[in-house]
Amino acid sequence: MSGQKPSLKSGGSPQSRFQVDVVTEASSADGSKPPEEARGRSRVVGFLDTGALGSAMDIGLPPDVSYDPDTARSDSVSLHSTGTGHTHVSDSHSNTYYMRTFGHNTIDAVPNIDFYRHTAATLGEKLMRPSLSELHDELDKDPFEDGLANGEEPSAAEEAAALRAKEAKGGTVKFGWVKGVLIRCMLNIWGVMLFIRMSWIVGQAGIGLTIAIILMATVVTTITGLSTSAIATNGFVRGGGAYYLISRSLGPEFGGSIGLIFAFANAVAVAMYVVGFAETVVEMLSDVDALMTDELNDIRIVGTLTVILLLGISVAGMEWEAKAQIVLLVILLAAIANYFIGSFISTESKEPKGFFGYQSAIFLENLGPDFRDEETFFSMFAIFFPAATGILAGANISGDLTDPQSAIPKGTLLAILITGITYVAITISAGSCIVRDATGDHNDTVSDTVNCTDAACTLGYDFSICKEGGCQYGLINDFQVLGLVSGFGPLISAGIFSATLSSALASLVSAPKVFQALCKDNIYPGLGVFAKGYGKNNEPLRGYVLTFCIGLAFILIAELNVIAPIISNFFLASYALINFSVFHASLANSPGWRPSFKYFNKWVSLTGAILCCVVMFVINWWAALVTLLIVLALYIYVSYKKPDVNWGSSTQALIYNQALTHCLNLTGVEDHVKNFRPQCLVLAGYPNSRPALLQLVNSFTKNVGLMVCAHVRMVTRRPNLKELSQEHGRCQRWLNKKRIKAFYTHVFSDNLRHGAQFLMQAVGLGRLKPNTLVMGFKNNWSDGDMREVEIYINTIHDAFDLQYGVVILRLRDGLDVSHIQGQDEIIQSQEKPAPGGKEVLVSVVLTKDSDSDSCPSKTTSGQSSPLIVRDTKCPLSLTEQRLLEASQQFKKKQGKGTIDVWWLFDDGGLTLLIPFLLTNGSKWGDCRIRVFIGGKINRIDHDRRAMATLLSRFRIDFSDIHVLGDINTKPKKHNKLSFRELVEPYRLREDDMEQEAAERMKAQEPWRITDNELELYKAKNNRQIRLNELLKEHSAAAKLIVMSMPLARKGTVSSALYMCWLETLSRDVPPLLLVRGNHQSVLTFYS
């Protein structure tokens, strides 16, 4: 830039990367608002420094754009792309266009919340900060394609849809913490239990143990409330309640399994509460002899009518539902107040029924337990605890809260506190003014003061006859005793109605909301139809109908005693996982786990999770087992399906933590021969270029050792980092799709050798570092440039220099299938072209089997990787068909056959270890190992026994051992002639030229074979020819041949001669794996 500041120029002049076309907006004379500018991808946000701005010309504005400092009120500035190829900067308030941050000519942006939004942000539009390339690269470079860093850039259609949705939501109804959370939680916790079971529990367990039961339940719900608050304040909370909190914390497996059963539990809970309401109504009808048919069918009729009414309120919208909840709360509060007022008003008419007002004698008598009918403390706890399970009523509508992060903690914890105090107060009140048993008869006054010792005796009544049973009044006998105590009895009935209907209404709203969130995430294919929302509040009308149908079905059953414990356990399972989520996230120690709610502790959360599980079994052990089995089944299903979502769960964070910890622990331990495993760096290029190579290596490294699919790339242009990131993702997904357990990596280099050097030195982490280089054989080496052969052979030498083992695979038909377009249908179906984008026709500049290594593709700007070929299928030639079939031969199970191991030289045992690992796997499990060794004709039996002893000590099974006594026999003449013909084009022939010319040619073409070299290695030449003859003789039917690779002394054996050895040795035989370890022992017979 030579010190010049970039200026804003009009569209007439040539544009550099950061020159901006200013869009003029003419203001009308009457000051009317100019038309809304075209929306596009936001580029820069800065601050306007009016003091640093001069006239329009001072900041580079063209003369036709006016600048008025007095109108420059905005602090935020955006540089927008108009979609027409031009870019402009706008002050959103003053329509002033400029390109300044802090008053300087820079497009570097200041911190802004909109940079951190998701693409589909609901509370604001996502903006993009300038990329590093835009700030750092030279101005004369071609700009890269615009896009989000994570590949999430929305299309124009998606942006328009998001905008319409945002505008449509202008009238969305949102609730604060009182109406949205506090009221809902209190109504759900103050269930029917408050009025018709609380007094009975006090009678059975006594005041002391009942308070203990309430406190135990409150401890569990409080811990869960604290955990819920922690998760809810760790980032923006969307709709979905418990499902959203668990899935975003523990991942889709736990979230998907809990989300489904939680939604189902809420749907069935509607039926439970409605049936409770209907039973009360029918009981009242029965008292006045007004039944329509019989009790069971009347419950069904009343329940059906009730659930239809509740559905109507819910479908009318959240605003109406909230108003209904307030009305029900008022009635419920009035009923509670009515009870407490009545408890202070004692009348003689109520005394025979057990109510005497507050009396210390009654309090002391009811302080201890009096369990009857085989009831126990835990059975009382099991009956009470479901009353405390309404704490997620507010969180379940998290999407309808104005500020979920603030509302959920305040509303939930305050509701637990208020309801807990209410339950304790009613316990103490009922236990202090009502006796356990009463006859209801005014004539049962005290006549015998000696035998009468109960509290009622001190108050003038003798209820001792109740010990024989048959009494209908008192704490234990009368479920409606609170109605007796209250100032106005019918108001207690209204409270029962309010408690049941409010809980039913909350469940009827919660179930569709949670189910809608679950369906939107597409965890379970086929349920997406229920994700659609309607109206300004995005109401899940389809979910309402489904919940209605489920609830109605269970109402018609009208017998919920069996399923009720399972539903309670479904809720408890959700609470357990919420607590575990907080413990797990804290344990993972992820930087992203930083809740603004600080009053939690990971060990307390873990305790809460354990308590929830204990309570599940206390309530009903078989229901707890059923719940756990259902959660486990759904977890396995979701894990198997592997939904394509990434929410940054604590599971990922913990896996990273554990991996990092184990890697560091490994670095402090020296390698031991017993723990050796081949860790392979496979030079395969694009993964789908050489599938046979990857599949074979995967067969002996899967679940055993490290495998890295490496790619040396030689390109003619500077790489686009966005393209590289996307391509890397495609390659890794291809490996995952093919179930090849490997990592993909690539480097850029000027040639294969240098790229392989980079990889061998840099790839790996601590002990997780490759120790074996795997390559394909360079099939058409004789047809290409011999400089490539020089690079190929020197790569092998470099591997040995770095103490790597080397493995080379050769197939008769070759390995490389990248030139066959359309050969990988998986990638075609996965990688869909972007809307409006163009499909790229790929022409790979490679000849068949041009390289065995990493397919160093010379990619130009108009090309892409073979992984994204989209081309019509052309008829394949016979050669291509054979090549494709050969490329898949290691994918299938091999069946019965042999793996022939030609262990000719001791390289530390790698040549023997690889076949053993192959036969340990399922694909090669039916194959037997045959071992071939060299030996002398007069010591064949001795050598065979020695090798058998060695193999048995290594504990390696083998089917046969062949000692090759004729390995040193001279090869056949025609094979020797073929070798001479193979070598001939690469000879230097120094005897036919002057010494200086020969030296100059050798320096220019170091791969040339000298006459001296041929003579020096004559015996070794013959050995390769002879070994090929023996391979054809003994191993022609083998499934795979694993053979010791011949070594060539570096600097002595030319590349051409070494290549001729490998070619001669491996020609026209079954699949051949040439192996040479680094001569460090990889096998041991010591324990």
Side-chain angles (χ1 to χ4, degrees):
M1 294 174 64
S2 64
Q4 293 184 348
K5 297 179 179 179
S7 62
L8 298 168
K9 296 185 179 181
S10 58
S13 61
Q15 283 189 316
S16 76
R17 176 164 180 71
F18 299 123
Q19 290 169 348
V20 177
D21 278 347
V22 179
V23 179
T24 304
E25 291 189 23
S27 300
S28 58
D30 59 356
S32 61
K33 189 176 180 180
E36 183 176 350
E37 65 191 42
R39 288 185 178 269
R41 175 174 178 265
S42 175
R43 304 288 257 143
V44 176
V45 171
F47 286 106
L48 172 63
D49 182 356
T50 56
L53 293 177
S55 65
M57 296 305 294
D58 290 337
I59 60 172
L61 292 177
D64 58 340
V65 177
S66 62
Y67 170 68
D68 183 0
D70 296 332
T71 63
R73 299 186 304 272
S74 172
D75 282 344
S76 64
V77 183
S78 297
L79 176 59
H80 292 282
S81 170
T82 63
T84 60
H86 300 291
T87 308
H88 67 271
V89 184
S90 68
D91 174 347
S92 57
H93 288 269
S94 64
N95 299 321
T96 303
Y97 297 87
Y98 56 92
M99 189 184 246
R100 291 189 172 226
T101 300
F102 301 131
H104 298 286
N105 285 342
T106 176
I107 66 167
D108 216 347
V110 295
N112 188 294
I113 190 173
D114 292 328
F115 291 148
Y116 297 90
R117 297 192 189 279
H118 286 170
T119 304
T122 56
L123 300 180
E125 187 175 357
K126 180 176 175 63
L127 303 180
M128 277 305 298
R129 67 181 65 82
S131 69
L132 187 62
S133 301
E134 289 170 335
L135 297 173
H136 178 256
D137 287 350
E138 299 174 22
L139 284 175
D140 57 352
K141 294 291 184 184
D142 291 334
F144 300 152
E145 295 178 6
D146 289 340
L148 306 187
N150 56 2
E152 291 181 351
E153 182 172 6
S155 65
E158 289 171 335
E159 286 184 343
L163 180 60
R164 285 196 300 272
K166 184 180 176 183
E167 291 171 349
K169 289 184 178 180
T172 300
V173 177
K174 296 288 185 180
F175 304 112
W177 70 274
V178 176
K179 188 187 289 188
V181 182
L182 179 64
I183 290 176
R184 292 174 184 279
C185 287
M186 287 197 305
L187 283 172
N188 248 26
I189 298 172
W190 279 334
V192 70
M193 186 73 64
L194 185 67
F195 296 106
I196 64 175
R197 285 290 184 273
M198 202 66 231
S199 57
W200 178 73
I201 293 175
V202 174
Q204 291 275 0
I207 297 172
L209 290 184
T210 302
I211 292 175
I213 288 171
I214 295 170
L215 291 178
M216 284 174 60
T218 305
V219 165
V220 174
T221 54
T222 301
I223 293 174
T224 306
L226 294 173
S227 299
T228 304
S229 302
I231 300 176
T233 58
N234 189 51
F236 181 73
V237 178
R238 298 183 186 273
Y243 160 71
Y244 185 87
L245 298 178
I246 295 172
S247 62
R248 268 49 177 186
S249 296
L250 291 178
E253 294 83 7
F254 278 114
S257 55
I258 281 297
L260 196 61
I261 69 169
F262 191 73
F264 177 76
N266 274 288
V268 179
V270 173
M272 290 173 59
Y273 295 127
V274 169
V275 167
F277 168 77
E279 284 178 348
T280 307
V281 172
V282 170
E283 187 177 332
M284 294 174 65
L285 291 175
S286 178
D287 290 342
V288 296
D289 197 21
L291 291 178
M292 290 172 278
T293 55
D294 56 76
E295 285 192 6
L296 185 60
N297 285 322
D298 278 13
I299 290 174
R300 290 169 176 161
I301 294 170
V302 174
T304 301
L305 295 174
T306 305
V307 79
I308 291 173
L309 175 65
L310 295 177
L311 177 66
I313 295 173
S314 302
V315 170
M318 288 296 294
E319 195 171 7
W320 282 95
E321 188 266 349
K323 290 177 181 177
Q325 293 280 28
I326 291 175
V327 173
L328 294 171
L329 177 67
V330 170
I331 296 172
L332 192 55
L333 288 173
I336 295 172
N338 175 46
Y339 162 75
F340 281 109
I341 292 171
S343 69
F344 289 98
I345 305 172
S346 177
T347 61
E348 289 187 9
S349 61
K350 295 181 181 179
E351 289 180 354
K353 296 182 180 180
F355 172 57
F356 294 93
Y358 291 99
Q359 301 289 338
S360 58
I362 296 177
F363 173 80
L364 292 173
E365 182 178 80
N366 289 337
L367 192 60
D370 182 15
F371 294 114
R372 303 180 189 176
D373 299 326
E374 299 182 355
E375 299 291 352
T376 64
F377 173 80
F378 288 109
S379 68
M380 292 296 102
F381 181 79
I383 290 169
F384 172 78
F385 189 83
T389 57
I391 61 172
L392 292 183
N396 285 339
I397 61 161
S398 53
D400 296 296
L401 300 176
T402 304
D403 183 9
Q405 289 181 278
S406 170
I408 292 174
K410 285 195 293 187
T412 304
L413 294 175
L414 188 57
I416 293 172
L417 177 64
I418 293 172
T419 54
I421 291 173
T422 306
Y423 276 119
V424 171
I426 289 181
T427 298
I428 296 173
S429 172
S432 300
C433 61
I434 309 170
V435 295
R436 281 191 168 101
D437 300 292
T439 60
D441 190 347
H442 286 274
N443 298 320
D444 287 335
T445 55
V446 175
S447 59
D448 184 0
T449 57
V450 177
N451 295 325
C452 185
T453 56
D454 294 337
C457 298
T458 62
L459 300 172
Y461 283 87
D462 181 8
F463 297 140
S464 56
I465 192 173
C466 293
K467 293 178 181 178
E468 300 172 8
C471 291
Q472 297 180 356
Y473 298 97
L475 289 174
I476 291 183
N477 304 309
D478 185 9
F479 289 154
Q480 304 286 351
V481 72
L482 294 190
L484 169 70
V485 175
S486 64
F488 181 62
L491 196 52
I492 294 294
S493 298
I496 294 172
F497 293 163
S498 173
T500 51
L501 292 179
S502 62
S503 298
L505 192 56
S507 296
L508 185 57
V509 170
S510 298
K513 294 281 185 183
V514 173
F515 195 57
Q516 182 186 36
L518 179 68
C519 296
K520 276 184 178 178
D521 290 335
N522 199 28
I523 301 296
Y524 298 99
L527 297 182
V529 66
F530 294 102
K532 183 174 176 58
Y534 297 87
K536 60 186 181 182
N537 268 48
N538 197 33
E539 296 288 351
L541 297 185
R542 297 175 180 178
Y544 282 132
V545 173
L546 179 63
T547 304
F548 168 77
C549 293
I550 294 173
L552 184 60
F554 283 98
I555 287 169
L556 295 177
I557 294 172
E559 289 290 339
L560 297 174
N561 291 338
V562 174
I563 201 164
I566 298 178
I567 300 307
S568 296
N569 278 331
F570 280 0
F571 287 120
L572 276 167
S574 304
Y575 299 167
L577 279 181
I578 288 176
N579 285 309
F580 184 72
S581 297
V582 172
F583 168 74
H584 201 267
S586 302
L587 189 67
N589 199 26
S590 170
W593 174 249
R594 46 184 189 276
S596 57
F597 182 85
K598 302 298 182 185
Y599 303 102
F600 72 94
N601 178 275
K602 64 180 178 182
W603 300 112
V604 172
S605 295
L606 178 61
T607 303
I610 295 171
L611 284 175
C612 287
C613 294
V614 170
V615 170
M616 287 172 65
F617 283 92
V618 167
I619 290 176
N620 192 303
W621 67 268
W622 63 262
L625 289 177
V626 170
T627 302
L628 293 177
L629 287 175
I630 292 174
V631 172
L632 182 62
L634 291 173
Y635 179 90
I636 293 171
Y637 172 80
V638 178
S639 301
Y640 176 76
K641 285 293 183 181
K642 288 186 174 60
D644 187 20
V645 293
N646 183 7
W647 296 321
S649 66
S650 60
T651 305
Q652 295 173 341
L654 190 61
I655 289 172
Y656 174 86
N657 251 14
Q658 291 173 337
L660 183 60
T661 302
H662 292 323
C663 283
L664 289 172
N665 289 341
L666 277 175
T667 59
V669 181
E670 289 297 325
D671 288 331
H672 192 280
V673 62
K674 286 197 294 184
N675 293 324
F676 176 87
R677 53 195 70 211
Q679 303 192 109
C680 297
L681 179 68
V682 187
L683 297 182
Y686 289 110
N688 65 339
S689 296
R690 294 166 180 78
L693 181 61
L694 292 178
Q695 286 158 359
L696 181 62
V697 177
N698 183 61
S699 295
F700 64 81
T701 60
K702 183 178 181 180
N703 300 326
V704 173
L706 174 70
M707 175 179 172
V708 179
C709 175
H711 186 179
V712 178
R713 298 189 59 185
M714 293 167 281
V715 294
T716 57
R717 68 177 176 98
R718 187 166 60 93
N720 182 323
L721 296 181
K722 178 189 170 186
E723 290 178 0
L724 284 181
S725 176
Q726 292 176 344
E727 189 172 276
H728 187 282
R730 281 195 295 267
C731 292
Q732 190 64 56
R733 283 196 299 275
W734 187 93
L735 291 169
N736 296 341
K737 188 74 178 178
K738 299 293 185 182
R739 298 184 180 179
I740 295 174
K741 294 191 175 183
F743 300 97
Y744 171 81
T745 190
H746 59 252
V747 294
F748 290 89
S749 180
D750 54 347
N751 62 46
L752 168 67
R753 182 185 184 186
H754 292 158
Q757 287 175 345
F758 300 154
L759 290 166
M760 286 188 285
Q761 293 178 80
V763 167
L765 188 66
R767 298 291 181 196
L768 294 178
K769 183 176 175 62
N771 53 30
T772 305
L773 180 69
V774 182
M775 309 167 69
F777 184 78
K778 197 172 180 62
N779 264 18
N780 64 341
W781 65 274
S782 58
D783 300 331
D785 189 344
M786 287 303 294
R787 284 175 295 188
E788 291 186 3
V789 175
E790 180 78 10
I791 290 172
Y792 180 76
I793 297 300
N794 282 331
T795 302
I796 298 175
H797 289 313
D798 291 339
F800 290 134
D801 288 343
L802 292 169
Q803 291 296 297
Y804 271 65
V806 176
V807 177
I808 296 177
L809 173 65
R810 180 172 189 180
L811 303 182
R812 283 180 183 172
D813 298 303
L815 290 168
D816 187 9
V817 296
S818 61
H819 61 287
I820 305 176
Q821 292 193 0
Q823 50 86 21
D824 193 85
E825 71 287 349
I826 300 291
I827 298 299
Q828 290 182 41
S829 61
Q830 277 186 342
E831 308 298 332
K832 298 177 181 177
K838 297 180 179 179
E839 294 185 354
V840 181
L841 180 62
V842 181
S843 53
V844 184
V845 190
L846 294 170
T847 56
K848 180 182 176 183
D849 272 321
S850 63
D851 253 335
S852 57
D853 48 287
S854 56
C855 180
S857 50
K858 299 181 180 179
T859 313
T860 60
S861 58
Q863 296 169 346
S864 183
S865 81
L867 283 170
I868 54 172
V869 171
R870 297 185 187 96
D871 191 18
T872 55
K873 290 188 178 180
C874 302
L876 299 178
S877 66
L878 187 61
T879 303
E880 290 175 333
Q881 287 178 6
R882 282 205 315 267
L883 178 57
L884 276 180
E885 290 173 4
S887 71
Q888 299 299 315
Q889 65 178 306
F890 299 132
K891 182 180 179 181
K892 57 190 177 183
K893 189 173 177 65
Q894 296 302 305
K896 292 186 177 180
T898 64
I899 298 177
D900 288 357
V901 181
W902 291 63
W903 196 14
L904 305 178
F905 308 104
D906 195 332
D907 59 352
L910 185 63
T911 309
L912 190 61
L913 179 62
I914 288 177
F916 168 75
L917 293 175
L918 280 173
T919 55
N920 261 8
S922 57
K923 288 182 181 177
W924 296 84
D926 293 336
C927 293
R928 309 300 298 166
I929 294 176
R930 294 196 304 173
V931 179
F932 293 80
I933 59 172
K936 295 181 179 178
I937 195 72
N938 57 346
R939 296 187 54 182
I940 288 178
D941 290 339
H942 176 271
D943 292 343
R944 182 184 289 112
R945 283 195 300 272
M947 178 55 62
T949 302
L950 181 60
L951 292 176
S952 63
R953 288 196 174 185
F954 285 150
R955 303 169 304 283
I956 292 178
D957 293 332
F958 58 92
S959 62
D960 202 0
I961 296 175
H962 293 265
V963 180
L964 304 170
D966 55 349
I967 194 170
N968 291 321
T969 306
K970 289 185 178 180
K972 298 175 181 176
K973 288 185 178 179
H974 68 276
N975 289 329
K976 292 174 66 176
L977 183 61
S978 297
F979 181 79
R980 289 195 198 99
E981 292 173 354
L982 180 63
V983 168
E984 191 64 30
Y986 312 111
R987 292 182 61 183
L988 179 63
R989 298 188 179 280
E990 68 271 24
D991 293 342
D992 298 340
M993 61 179 74
E994 295 181 0
Q995 183 178 354
E996 185 178 345
E999 290 175 353
R1000 188 167 56 250
M1001 177 176 281
K1002 182 66 175 175
Q1004 292 173 349
E1005 299 177 352
W1007 41 267
R1008 290 282 180 182
I1009 305 171
T1010 64
D1011 294 339
N1012 182 48
E1013 187 181 357
L1014 270 180
E1015 185 63 30
L1016 182 63
Y1017 292 106
K1018 184 176 181 181
K1020 208 162 186 178
N1021 298 340
N1022 288 336
R1023 184 188 302 154
Q1024 312 313 320
I1025 301 169
R1026 178 60 185 157
L1027 284 173
N1028 180 256
E1029 293 175 354
L1030 292 171
L1031 284 172
K1032 292 176 181 177
E1033 178 182 345
H1034 296 284
S1035 298
K1039 294 280 186 181
L1040 178 70
I1041 302 172
V1042 181
M1043 188 174 200
S1044 297
M1045 186 171 73
L1047 273 183
R1049 191 172 296 280
K1050 186 173 60 173
T1052 304
V1053 179
S1054 61
S1055 300
L1057 181 59
Y1058 191 24
M1059 201 70 209
C1060 289
W1061 287 353
L1062 299 179
E1063 169 71 27
T1064 301
L1065 180 64
S1066 60
R1067 181 184 289 171
D1068 299 330
V1069 296
L1072 176 66
L1073 209 58
L1074 293 172
V1075 180
R1076 175 67 71 154
N1078 64 359
H1079 287 244
Q1080 299 292 320
S1081 294
V1082 301
L1083 295 171
T1084 181
F1085 43 78
Y1086 294 106
S1087 59

